[in-house]
Amino acid sequence: MSTISTHDTHHDDHGHHHETFLTKYVFSQDHKMIAKQFLITGIIMAVIAMILSILFRIQLAWPDQNFPLLEQLLGKWAEGGRIKPDFYLALVTIHGTIMVFFVLTAGLSGTFSNLLIPLQVGARDMASPFLNMLSYWFFFAACVIMMSSFFIQTGPASAGWTVYPPLSAVPKAIPGSGLGMTLWLISMILFVASSLMGGINYVSTILNMRTKGMDFWKMPLTIWAFFLTAVLGILSFPVLVAGVVLLIFDRSVGTSFYLSDMVFGTQIMPNEGGSPILWQHLFWFLGHPEVYIVIMPAMGLSSEIIAVNSRKPIFGYHAMVYSLIGITVLSLIVWGHHMFVTGMNPFLGGVFMITTLIIAVPSAVKTFNWLATLWKGNIRFTPGMLFAIGMVSFFISGGLTGIWLGNATLDINLHDTYFVVAHFHLVMGSAAIFGMLAGVYHWFPKMFGRLMDSKLAYLHFWVTFVCTYLVFFPLHFLGLDGVPRRYYAFTEFEFMHKWMTVNKLVTWSAIVAGLAQVAFLFNFFYSIFRGKRAPQNPWESNTLEWTTPVERIHGNWPGEIPTVHRWPYDYSKPGAESDFIPQTVPFSETMSSNLFHDFEGNAEAEQIQREWNAKNDPSKNNE
Amino acid sequence: MILPEAASEHGKKIDQMFEITLILTSIVFIATHIVLFIFTYIYRYNKARKAYYYPHNNMIERIWTIVPALVLTVLVLMGFLTWRSIFHKVEDPNNKPLSVEVTSSQFQWDIRYPGKDGIVGKKNYKLVTSTNNLGIDFSDRNSQDDLVADEIVLPVNKAVRFTLGSKDVIHSFYMPHFRIQLNTVPGMPTYFEFTPTITTDEMKAKTGDPNFHYVLLCSKICGTNHFNMQKVVRIVSEKEYEEWLTNQKPYLTDDLRKAFNLPVPVTEPAKAADTTATASVKPSIENQLALKK
Amino acid sequence: MVHTIQQNNAPLEFNAKPRKFAMWLFVVSSIIMFGGFTSYYLVFSAAKGKGHGLVLPDAFMYSTAVLVLSSVFLFLAARALRSKQLKQQQLFLWITVILGIAFAYLQFQAWTSLYMSGAVLINNNAAISMIYLLSGMHLLHIVAGLAFVVSALISSYRNVEHAKLVYRQDIASIFWHFIDILWIYLYVFLLLNS
Ligand code: HEM
Ligand SMILES: [Cu+2]
Ligand SMILES: [Cu+2]
């Protein structure tokens, strides 16, 4: 049987089909290349979104100061060196959209689902490589269209990333709701198409193309997470399409799905009978699952990285899977918690409060299991591990405030304030970004055959970790004091003046955190070309991807696809020689470490083991 | 504690729950972080050691599923009951709450008090003109004595019921001191009833800030001047309130009377023209004030 | 940069099952999108206490019949393929395509008569706009469905290997039967919620 030693690559030379530069790097159908395309596009979008955020943070920290540089950079959007209110809102909107959809959905899921699903379940490629390629190009087009809205007369969409109508529907309400909003909607439809093509592929691959022996309960948690994320996407993204189509009709055709009873100045609008609340229902029916679409892959990546680097099995593997399933199911029925104060039926509010607080339970279980995995581990502080631990910390900090917000009564006072901003930046922004960075550091050798520099990585980690807390933690207090979000300046209300110094601290921290990313970017691009060459299994990990050769080949394994014999978490198993046993090692080769539990009730195997134990180590039969 | 003091009846209940939640989550926050950092420190890599193979323990896992579930159940129950008590007010016919209507538009709040009859009359957005900027329907008798106000003044310890509406986009009626927030939605009136418990003057003394005043903010992104949509809110004694009320002007001007075919009271024409002039200029002045502030 | 040192000699063998499964997943997501539209409709009409309030044009009835008929012919095509009678398969596929186009034509007829009766798209009753929207979005699916049928037809003429023929035919069948049932659902939905 094949074991880790699939390295005995027998190079057959026939069947060499020709790859041109175009089919290899651009219109590639190889999942590993598509993963890199997603990653690099995601990183570029992240840098753009980060720059946008620093721009609006500068406005918040120094609302009445002029920065001539800004005028040179932004032209009419910052006449006199000061960002204009409309443009401020555009910045916030596009920052949020890019981060949530393009970085943390496409950049995260797109990269790691593409890279790891075939490699970790033992498949040669995705179910439909062609669809996979389309998925990337739709995503790319979505990014280009979104960015193009910075170059039009009326500017990008500026109604917030949730684009509530009527603000987003009536160009008269805000300039960004003109052409910019149309581009936003088109971009979003392309993006959803991309996500669906990706998600459908992931699900089909996982269900149909696992290698021999890879049953569901032998899949690494990464695969479970990607699988459930994709399922959640398939179930919720189409609803956003429905919502967006209706909004497009309202905007461009003149229907009244969401619009009614509006007067701008003294101009009475013709739309009648629609309800803006219905947009919110359709949006959040996607929107809430979306936040879990963002965090679940990060959870999966962190679980894997934490287990590998603690040299311990993940604690409570089954509970980890069930909690992911629980989150997937529950996240479809909690969307109303974003709408507690829209004036919807108070009884419904109560129902959504109950479902929302239930979803905190599986989240808590996951956290405790991560902590238990660390307990009595032998922790290797690889860069990936540091970021995974950081992810756990942020997930706790942000998740706990979810309990406040999920309580409809407390939400009355907290909704749409900086408290919510703090909540979701910690739990979604920071935790998911840290999960993603952990993944990048951990699987970089798999993607590029080289290692990233760990000194720079430590610098990157510590500065980012500290500054992220400095940026987001103080925002809780602003929110509690009643400062609403999406405010252009804190100058107009007297009670906000006391927050100006805090705002400066936050902005400086954001700038430093931004600079820290230079260390990452340099490390990333430098290591692609000049990094230390990686061994085949640099982290001594059990999962299948590390049984493939370091060099990229189409089809992943040169010979047969290896067979899987055990779960992926046999780390530091008592009785085993090394502290990891890859999934491809059959039990017959590890007689000294097998537990009866491993055989899942297979009586024959248990008998063989019992006989072996009797001969070699009788004490083990007593267990 | 870290919230500004609650100045309404239901606000006190919210704050109680807030404190319980704060304490519980802080304990969890601190405990888990201590564990996280201590574990990573104690169990850092050591060549000589081997990690402990410990794949699961159903008992422990059950405990940390059930305990959070129980705690959350308690929080949900408290939240649910308080939530109901805030939004399900039983109407007491003898002690009707004071009715006030607030209409949001880009970027201002318009306040309408009910006048003698205690009822705020109908309105219809299709009636909006430059003189009737709320689209009040004066053929409804209840509208005819409605008063215009440029600030929200409320008597202390008396229930108020706000009827909220919006002319253009969604805004949000947010008064943090009273723990009130509710969206104003075009085409769908929303309601919030509450009882203020501390007057502005008392609050000045409590906070030691002579400039203290309650604020009304807009908390739903609504466009360019979203960050500056304010209205002063004053909580006063019953007596001061009555006094203030007598100084408020009716919405119904002579021009509007003509437009609605209502009898115009006989006064010298010159004077009538005068009042309409100020009335129609008024909104724009208010607007500028709001912008400057 | 790492570079390919060798190609796997076994070409990634053609495996129809995961791809067909992907088609099923697409069907699921499509159902959910229409679920989004119809739940908009339900919530809207519950809130307003009214639906579209129209007698739907007869053209919808004819188009439904045509679509069901096209499904029957597609089914026959699949059966012909299974008994390897390509000529017959091609004939039935052609009929399916023609019926599909006839369906589209009838939908336009239905819109015209709606328009004539005053129930226009830009309407203060969003439920009426929704009739256009549902049938319009469905028509987009018909276009996609025709593309699948045509692809099966082309490969039948090109005489590609049997496994691929069956695969293309299956994909076309899954999708076309789905949009057939979808239309019946939408039609009944609109009839019931007037
Ligand atoms: C522990 C479980 C969680 C609970 C109970 C919870 C609860 C809530 C609630 C009630 C809100 C609405 C607050 C408001 O607008 O007033 C909210 C907002 C939000 N949550 Fe969570 N949350 C949880 C975990 C998460 C996770 C894991 C993520 C993402 C990874 C997330 C991302 C967000 C985002 C993005 C928003 C704000 C959306 C916006 O208005 O722009 N939350 N959360
Ligand atoms: Cu949510
Ligand atoms: Cu606003």
Side-chain angles (χ1 to χ4, degrees):
Chain A
M1 266 297 54
S2 54
T3 60
I4 23 169
S5 58
T6 34
H7 211 49
D8 54 329
T9 44
H10 43 92
H11 297 237
D12 303 76
D13 273 291
H14 58 275
H16 227 277
H17 72 238
H18 195 65
E19 272 189 325
T20 61
F21 178 82
L22 217 60
T23 58
K24 186 173 161 198
Y25 293 111
V26 185
F27 297 106
S28 171
Q29 300 195 14
D30 177 14
H31 71 100
K32 299 183 290 302
M33 182 54 72
I34 295 174
K36 291 182 211 172
Q37 293 174 330
F38 267 109
L39 179 60
I40 290 178
T41 316
I43 289 177
I44 293 170
M45 293 314 282
V47 170
I48 293 174
M50 194 179 72
I51 292 172
L52 301 186
S53 73
I54 288 178
L55 286 177
F56 65 69
R57 279 301 333 170
I58 288 177
Q59 157 61 26
L60 284 176
W62 298 283
D64 33 37
Q65 209 159 312
N66 297 336
F67 298 91
L69 184 64
L70 285 184
E71 183 166 13
Q72 278 163 23
L73 274 174
L74 304 171
K76 66 171 189 224
W77 307 125
E79 238 162 51
R82 211 186 294 182
I83 289 172
K84 289 190 171 161
D86 287 336
F87 191 61
Y88 174 87
L89 294 178
L91 288 173
V92 177
T93 304
I94 303 297
H95 162 80
T97 312
I98 292 182
M99 282 296 193
V100 172
F101 292 110
F102 296 170
V103 179
L104 292 176
T105 307
L108 179 55
S109 264
T111 303
F112 290 103
S113 299
N114 266 314
L115 178 70
L116 294 178
I117 288 176
L119 285 173
Q120 287 193 335
V121 303
R124 298 234 181 257
D125 206 314
M126 286 288 179
S128 170
F130 177 71
L131 214 56
N132 212 18
M133 175 187 80
L134 275 191
S135 159
Y136 173 73
W137 287 103
F138 270 66
F139 165 55
F140 185 79
C143 291
V144 170
I145 291 178
M146 188 64 75
M147 293 319 297
S148 70
S149 62
F150 276 99
F151 301 99
I152 58 175
Q153 186 59 31
T154 46
S158 17
W161 77 283
T162 55
V163 298
Y164 283 6
L167 183 59
S168 63
V170 186
K172 207 168 281 155
I174 189 167
S177 292
L179 183 57
M181 190 63 214
T182 305
L183 291 173
W184 191 96
L185 291 167
I186 293 172
S187 167
M188 208 37 81
I189 288 202
L190 290 174
F191 171 79
V192 172
S194 153
S195 288
L196 282 175
M197 285 189 268
I200 285 173
N201 238 329
Y202 308 151
V203 171
S204 185
T205 308
I206 294 174
L207 288 183
N208 296 301
M209 297 171 69
R210 280 163 294 141
T211 183
K212 211 154 79 218
M214 180 63 88
D215 59 48
F216 282 126
W217 293 111
K218 289 195 177 66
M219 296 196 313
L221 286 173
T222 37
I223 298 299
W224 271 109
F226 300 147
F227 172 62
L228 291 164
T229 303
V231 168
L232 197 50
I234 292 172
L235 294 180
S236 58
F237 269 118
V239 179
L240 180 68
V241 178
V244 165
V245 167
L246 297 184
L247 186 52
I248 290 176
F249 269 78
D250 273 4
R251 289 170 44 80
S252 308
V253 181
T255 49
S256 307
F257 290 111
Y258 301 128
L259 304 177
S260 186
D261 294 35
M262 294 179 308
V263 188
F264 285 86
T266 51
Q267 186 187 349
I268 296 159
M269 305 296 281
N271 313 72
E272 199 174 337
S275 161
I277 304 294
L278 286 173
W279 162 263
Q280 298 179 21
H281 280 295
L282 291 175
F283 181 87
W284 286 115
F285 185 84
L286 158 89
H288 185 85
E290 167 62 22
V291 305
Y292 280 95
I293 287 171
V294 162
I295 199 68
M296 287 206 298
M299 289 171 162
L301 296 171
S302 305
S303 303
E304 175 68 19
I305 293 169
I306 288 177
V308 173
N309 290 296
S310 303
R311 313 308 294 162
K312 267 191 73 188
I314 190 82
F315 185 81
Y317 171 77
H318 283 81
M320 289 304 242
V321 173
Y322 286 127
S323 56
L324 281 177
I325 295 174
I327 287 175
T328 307
V329 173
L330 287 169
S331 67
L332 290 168
I333 51 169
V334 300
W335 77 91
H337 65 217
H338 297 276
M339 300 166 63
F340 284 140
V341 302
T342 48
M344 73 173 176
N345 183 333
F347 176 73
L348 265 182
V351 173
F352 281 121
M353 156 162 47
I354 294 169
T355 54
T356 300
L357 292 193
I358 296 175
I359 208 172
V361 175
S363 309
V365 171
K366 293 199 81 74
T367 311
F368 293 135
N369 283 359
W370 284 321
L371 295 177
T373 306
L374 294 172
W375 180 66
K376 289 204 175 178
N378 200 10
I379 299 170
R380 295 177 178 172
F381 290 109
T382 61
M385 183 64 172
L386 284 179
F387 278 95
I389 293 172
M391 181 271 172
V392 175
S393 167
F394 287 129
F395 185 71
I396 297 173
S397 314
L400 283 171
T401 49
I403 294 174
W404 308 28
L405 297 170
N407 187 331
T409 321
L410 297 182
D411 193 50
I412 294 174
N413 203 44
L414 298 175
H415 178 67
D416 266 334
T417 66
Y418 267 92
F419 193 86
V420 177
V421 177
H423 160 69
F424 72 78
H425 276 93
L426 284 174
V427 76
M428 173 156 96
S430 311
I433 288 269
F434 268 53
M436 180 168 168
L437 287 169
V440 172
Y441 281 109
H442 193 82
W443 278 282
F444 189 86
K446 193 73 256 162
M447 283 189 266
F448 298 102
R450 293 174 188 264
L451 293 165
M452 288 176 77
D453 181 66
S454 44
K455 292 241 168 51
L456 269 179
Y458 292 145
L459 175 75
H460 176 217
F461 171 78
W462 282 109
V463 179
T464 312
F465 184 72
V466 172
C467 287
T468 305
Y469 264 123
L470 285 178
V471 170
F472 297 120
F473 208 79
L475 299 186
H476 290 117
F477 299 97
L478 273 72
L480 292 172
D481 195 43
V483 181
R485 64 197 281 207
R486 294 163 174 161
Y487 266 28
Y488 163 70
F490 290 9
T491 46
E492 310 302 310
F493 285 89
E494 210 180 286
F495 82 99
M496 295 181 193
H497 294 170
K498 61 177 174 293
W499 295 111
M500 289 309 299
T501 37
V502 175
N503 257 348
K504 290 196 178 76
L505 167 78
V506 168
T507 297
W508 275 118
S509 306
I511 291 172
V512 176
L515 289 176
Q517 305 319 304
V518 177
F520 169 74
L521 292 175
F522 173 77
N523 199 352
F524 184 87
F525 288 106
Y526 181 83
S527 303
I528 290 179
F529 301 102
R530 293 284 158 77
K532 219 170 77 196
R533 284 204 182 276
Q536 192 190 15
N537 188 353
W539 320 117
E540 303 183 304
S541 170
N542 288 342
T543 38
L544 279 187
E545 76 272 30
W546 305 106
T547 64
T548 61
V550 178
E551 298 81 8
R552 179 180 87 92
I553 57 171
H554 208 158
N556 296 338
W557 285 270
E560 244 177 73
I561 303 180
T563 303
V564 162
H565 298 279
R566 59 177 75 232
W567 77 326
Y569 295 109
D570 269 345
Y571 291 104
S572 304
K573 210 173 181 189
E577 298 142 39
S578 82
D579 71 350
F580 70 111
I581 311 175
Q583 286 191 277
T584 49
V585 178
F587 287 114
S588 61
E589 290 175 18
T590 58
M591 293 307 279
S592 60
S593 67
N594 295 348
L595 304 169
F596 290 124
H597 179 85
D598 293 334
F599 303 122
E600 293 162 350
N602 179 341
E604 198 187 335
E606 278 181 25
Q607 189 51 33
I608 296 173
Q609 183 73 39
R610 194 159 284 133
E611 282 162 20
W612 187 91
N613 286 355
K615 240 186 294 166
N616 298 283
D617 184 4
S619 66
K620 276 187 73 182
N621 270 347
N622 304 336
E623 282 164 24
Chain B
M1 254 187 292
I2 46 180
L3 286 171
E5 181 163 2
S8 64
E9 266 174 14
H10 74 274
K12 300 230 159 60
K13 282 191 236 164
I14 291 183
D15 284 12
Q16 237 171 17
M17 198 154 47
F18 175 88
E19 267 163 39
I20 296 172
T21 314
L22 173 66
I23 291 167
L24 280 174
T25 49
S26 301
I27 293 173
V28 178
F29 173 69
I30 292 167
T32 46
H33 270 86
I34 290 177
V35 168
L36 180 65
F37 291 124
I38 287 192
F39 280 3
T40 42
Y41 180 73
I42 299 182
Y43 302 116
R44 68 195 180 279
Y45 189 68
N46 177 345
K47 250 203 187 97
R49 228 162 30 93
K50 194 165 176 179
Y52 176 40
Y53 185 82
Y54 192 53
H56 66 118
N57 177 332
N58 291 348
M59 194 57 198
I60 297 183
E61 287 169 55
R62 219 165 284 150
I63 290 177
W64 64 47
T65 311
I66 292 172
V67 171
L70 287 179
V71 173
L72 286 168
T73 311
V74 174
L75 289 177
V76 167
L77 278 180
M78 285 196 315
F80 195 83
L81 294 176
T82 320
W83 176 254
R84 267 189 72 85
S85 73
I86 293 171
F87 281 99
H88 281 265
K89 293 280 196 253
V90 198
E91 188 87 11
D92 175 0
N94 301 325
N95 197 6
K96 281 226 175 102
L98 170 68
S99 251
V100 180
E101 183 197 73
V102 178
T103 308
S104 61
S105 57
Q106 288 181 332
F107 298 92
Q108 69 186 65
W109 302 102
D110 287 291
I111 320 290
R112 181 153 68 120
Y113 276 75
K116 294 246 161 33
D117 58 3
I119 301 174
V120 184
K122 290 204 183 82
K123 64 176 182 182
N124 180 346
Y125 76 103
K126 286 185 180 155
L127 299 176
V128 170
T129 58
S130 57
T131 44
N132 186 2
N133 81 339
L134 291 181
I136 296 168
D137 183 356
F138 289 104
S139 57
D140 175 15
R141 293 190 69 90
N142 294 328
S143 301
Q144 295 176 3
D145 61 349
D146 288 355
L147 303 171
V148 60
D150 52 13
E151 49 181 0
I152 298 180
V153 177
L154 300 171
V156 71
N157 293 327
K158 174 137 179 40
V160 201
R161 182 175 152 94
F162 279 105
T163 303
L164 307 172
S166 185
K167 261 173 74 179
D168 38 37
V169 302
I170 300 178
H171 301 261
S172 190
F173 180 79
Y174 182 37
M175 303 202 294
H177 297 100
F178 304 114
R179 312 290 186 259
I180 290 176
Q181 179 172 199
L182 199 59
N183 291 358
T184 62
V185 186
M188 185 187 94
T190 51
Y191 307 94
F192 203 110
E193 184 179 331
F194 83 111
T195 309
T197 52
I198 305 177
T199 64
T200 303
D201 288 338
E202 283 164 356
M203 206 62 167
K204 279 181 179 159
K206 281 189 178 195
T207 55
D209 175 5
N211 292 324
F212 176 88
H213 57 91
Y214 292 116
V215 283
L216 165 59
L217 311 124
C218 174
S219 58
K220 182 63 78 192
I221 180 173
C222 59
T224 315
N225 277 337
H226 167 53
F227 70 106
N228 186 13
M229 235 179 105
Q230 39 188 314
K231 203 91 214 170
V232 171
V233 181
R234 281 199 297 132
I235 306 298
V236 297
S237 69
E238 181 86 37
K239 204 172 118 250
E240 287 169 278
Y241 169 71
E242 299 293 350
E243 232 174 75
W244 172 82
L245 202 58
T246 51
N247 291 330
Q248 303 312 305
K249 292 200 190 63
Y251 255 107
L252 191 55
T253 57
D254 289 350
D255 269 5
L256 284 171
R257 280 181 192 278
K258 277 181 210 137
F260 279 85
N261 294 326
L262 294 169
V264 182
V266 264
T267 39
E268 311 97 272
K271 207 173 174 203
D274 222 47
T275 45
T276 45
T278 46
S280 57
V281 167
K282 196 160 196 185
S284 59
I285 293 176
E286 223 172 79
N287 219 341
Q288 281 166 4
L289 275 179
L291 280 170
K292 248 187 242 149
K293 240 201 140 180
Chain C
M1 181 76 101
V2 263
H3 45 128
T4 322
I5 47 162
Q6 45 96 250
Q7 282 301 313
N8 193 275
N9 62 326
L12 307 184
E13 64 279 5
F14 180 75
N15 186 351
K17 193 179 159 221
R19 295 163 189 237
K20 271 201 267 179
F21 193 83
M23 178 45 92
W24 279 111
L25 289 173
F26 181 71
V27 166
V28 169
S29 60
S30 196
I31 290 174
I32 290 176
M33 184 181 78
F34 281 95
F37 287 126
T38 46
S39 35
Y40 173 95
Y41 187 100
L42 289 177
V43 176
F44 174 85
S45 55
K48 301 279 165 189
K50 63 171 188 200
H52 56 71
L54 303 174
V55 179
L56 292 177
D58 289 345
F60 275 149
M61 211 150 43
Y62 306 139
S63 70
T64 312
V66 167
L67 196 58
V68 171
L69 204 61
S70 74
S71 251
V72 172
F73 277 102
L74 192 63
F75 174 77
L76 292 177
R79 224 179 46 183
L81 178 65
R82 213 156 302 130
S83 45
K84 308 225 164 154
Q85 287 168 305
L86 289 191
K87 278 275 153 309
Q88 226 180 3
Q89 185 213 11
Q90 287 156 14
L91 175 68
F92 288 140
L93 285 177
W94 273 116
I95 299 179
T96 311
V97 170
I98 290 165
L99 286 176
I101 293 170
F103 172 81
Y105 173 76
L106 285 169
Q107 297 296 79
F108 277 105
Q109 284 297 309
W111 289 343
T112 316
S113 60
L114 275 177
Y115 185 82
M116 292 305 182
S117 75
V120 291
L121 169 63
I122 302 171
N123 204 299
N124 281 343
N125 184 353
I128 293 176
S129 313
M130 197 48 119
I131 300 178
Y132 286 91
L133 204 89
L134 286 174
S135 47
M137 291 303 282
H138 179 262
L139 203 55
L140 284 183
H141 281 66
I142 291 284
V143 173
L146 282 176
F148 287 122
V149 176
V150 167
S151 126
L153 196 53
I154 290 174
S155 45
S156 180
Y157 278 114
R158 289 240 180 105
N159 220 346
V160 293
E161 61 184 291
H162 190 69
K164 281 206 173 156
L165 272 187
V166 172
Y167 163 70
R168 301 247 158 85
Q169 171 73 45
D170 281 354
I171 290 281
S173 298
I174 294 172
F175 197 71
W176 195 265
H177 295 317
F178 157 63
I179 47 186
D180 182 13
I181 295 171
L182 177 67
W183 173 249
I184 295 174
Y185 161 71
L186 293 175
Y187 185 46
V188 172
F189 179 88
L190 289 175
L191 282 179
L192 289 183
N193 294 289
S194 63

